[in-house]
Every structure is written in structure tokens, then in C-alpha cells.
Amino acid sequence: MFHPGSHTGAGVETGRTNVANRLSDLEIPDEVTLLLENTAGTGTTIGKQFEGIDSIVEQSEYDYSQVGVCLDTCHLLAAGYDLAAGDGLDEMIAELDASIGVENVQYLHLNDSKHPVGSEKDEHKHIGEGEIGDEGFERFINHDRLCDKPMVVETPENEKGGEWNIQEVKELRNEQ
Ligand SMILES: [Zn+2]
């Protein structure tokens, strides 16, 4: 799994093409899948929008059988996908279907966001203690298009630690 990186001034389109070309240079073994992680969009980072991630895969010599996507909840919120709102989640799913395809999301990073929707700032908080909140996570992890995907907490190590956050996710999780 990797973040796509930054275009450092070359422009978003050029940045996407550069990442796609570097992907094509790799010889990914058949049994390996690389996952592109969506980003918060800080500075000149690319991979903030789904259509951008989709365009990287499209331009590379690979397809979604060997390059998948990891969605990070803090990065989603910071990038402008309003997971704290019910219609925000629905809009996100619709945008995914129009680009990457929900089926090509293979992994989920769960972490709350210290900064509000659209802030483009990447600072993780404990589950439920940031701008996404318990209700936002409850909707996200139980959504029928997302609930079967592997989820990993990627919360801060200070104060509470991973165990507390895993317990919090379990409490928000509906019986399957
Ligand atoms: Zn992450």
C-alpha cells in the first residue's frame, strides 16, 4: 500500500501520469496486489479525488486486478467527502461507482479526523473523537457496500492505543 505522492508544482495531470508511468515500470508479481491510498490533498499531493486515482490506474499498464484502492476515513473527510453526514456517505459511494468502482476498494483505514471536512489536513484522531464522530463511523462501517471489506484502525498511539479503538469499532458495528 502506498500514497501516490506529490506533483511538487508539475500540476495534477502531470503528477498522475508520472505515478502511472512509475507503476508501469514495476513488475508486480501475479500474486501481489498494490493498493493506492486516497490522500487528504495536503499541498501538492495527488490522490485526493477518486477520479484522480482511477486515472492513475487507467494510464498505467495495470488494471484493478493488480492495483486496488485503500480508502482512509480521515483522508476522505479532509478531502471533502463528508462522512459525518448521511448524504455525504451516499454521495461518496455514488462518486466511487462513477470512477474506481466500490468493488475495487479492497481495504479500509479507520481513523477519525482532527480537522473539519475539506480541510486537506491529515491528522488522525481516535475513533469517534474527531469530526467524523461515532454516528459517521457507525454509518460507514455498517454500509452494505463497505461492511465486508477488511478494516484496520490507524489511530494515534498516544493516550488510548489500538485496543481501545478496536473496541470502539466493535461497539459501533451492527450484528452481521
Ligand atoms: Zn491511512
Side-chain angles (χ1 to χ4, degrees), residues 3 37 72 75 109 111 124 154:
H3 288 192
E37 181 168 345
D72 176 304
H75 302 171
H109 274 176
N111 42 61
H124 298 182
E154 201 190 31

Side-chain angles (χ1 to χ4, degrees), residues 16-18 21 25-26 32 60 62 64-65 79 85 90 96 106 110 112 122-123 140-141 144 148-149 163 174 176:
R16 289 171 181 171
T17 303
N18 286 343
N21 290 341
D25 289 343
L26 298 174
V32 171
S60 79
Y62 290 102
Y64 283 110
S65 65
D90 290 339
L96 267 179
Q106 299 197 19
L110 304 181
D112 214 325
D122 181 5
E123 272 190 272
F140 187 89
I141 65 178
D144 62 353
D148 290 333
K149 299 186 187 296
E163 205 53 44
N174 295 340
Q176 299 292 315

Side-chain angles (χ1 to χ4, degrees), residues 112-133:
D112 214 325
S113 173
K114 182 175 179 182
H115 301 285
V117 62
S119 66
E120 296 188 339
K121 288 184 185 162
D122 181 5
E123 272 190 272
H124 298 182
K125 290 276 281 180
H126 298 294
I127 301 296
E129 298 195 348
E131 296 286 331
I132 297 173

